[in-house]
Amino acid sequence: TFFNPHNKALEGELVLPLPERATICRFGKIDPETNKTNWATVVTKEKARVVFETEVRTGKKAAMVEKIESAGNLYKTRIYPIPPQCELTVELWHFDSLDYGQVASSSISSSKAEDNGYCSLSRRRRPNGTAV
């Protein structure tokens, strides 16, 4: 959850470390009026950045998460706008693989989700708030 204590809208940014073998499988922003999560769509890194920057320049709502390539398993989340004196909550889900020794039963199997590390959230959402 982000909070913007200031008197103007701000962009929020958060860097999240994930476990070594974890990969993001879902990202979304919670609409504070309906309490429903608006889930992102996975797109290429380039497209996510272009869409995000275009939406910010035109004053529309946008959010994205991307893997920081040069920094291990770190992900950066960006959200705009965070209105003054408002709170905004995002959800980030991830898969994590287990070592064979951690699996309690041989009937349990796992599959690794495709990891391109980039999501972009469509912007038909209502105002929320958070600031960094």
Side-chain angles (χ1 to χ4, degrees), residues 84-123:
Q85 306 297 319
C86 288
E87 188 175 275
L88 174 67
T89 301
V90 296
E91 285 189 46
L92 188 126
W93 297 13
H94 71 275
F95 285 118
D96 196 358
S97 59
L98 300 174
D99 290 330
Y100 180 74
Q102 294 176 295
V103 180
S105 166
S106 61
S107 65
I108 297 174
S109 63
S110 65
S111 61
K112 185 174 181 195
E114 182 179 347
D115 178 17
N116 68 7
Y118 312 106
C119 297
S120 178
L121 186 63
S122 62
R123 38 294 133 204

Side-chain angles (χ1 to χ4, degrees), residues 3-124:
F3 177 71
N4 179 359
H6 303 286
N7 292 324
K8 66 177 185 172
L10 298 173
E11 178 179 326
E13 186 175 295
L14 176 65
V15 175
L16 302 166
L18 292 183
E20 183 180 326
R21 293 179 298 222
T23 184
I24 292 176
C25 62
R26 210 163 190 202
F27 171 71
K29 182 170 65 172
I30 299 174
D31 184 324
E33 294 182 22
T34 65
N35 206 32
K36 292 184 180 182
T37 303
N38 301 305
W39 297 109
T41 301
V42 177
V43 296
T44 65
K45 183 175 189 174
E46 295 76 25
K47 182 174 181 179
R49 285 184 179 168
V50 167
V51 169
F52 184 86
E53 295 300 332
T54 300
E55 297 301 305
V56 168
R57 272 194 309 278
T58 59
K60 295 180 181 173
K61 298 174 187 110
M64 67 178 281
V65 62
E66 65 180 318
K67 187 172 185 177
I68 302 171
E69 296 298 333
S70 62
N73 208 20
L74 292 177
Y75 289 81
K76 179 170 66 171
T77 302
R78 295 174 66 191
I79 302 161
Y80 181 85
I82 305 165
Q85 306 297 319
C86 288
E87 188 175 275
L88 174 67
T89 301
V90 296
E91 285 189 46
L92 188 126
W93 297 13
H94 71 275
F95 285 118
D96 196 358
S97 59
L98 300 174
D99 290 330
Y100 180 74
Q102 294 176 295
V103 180
S105 166
S106 61
S107 65
I108 297 174
S109 63
S110 65
S111 61
K112 185 174 181 195
E114 182 179 347
D115 178 17
N116 68 7
Y118 312 106
C119 297
S120 178
L121 186 63
S122 62
R123 38 294 133 204
R124 59 179 210 277

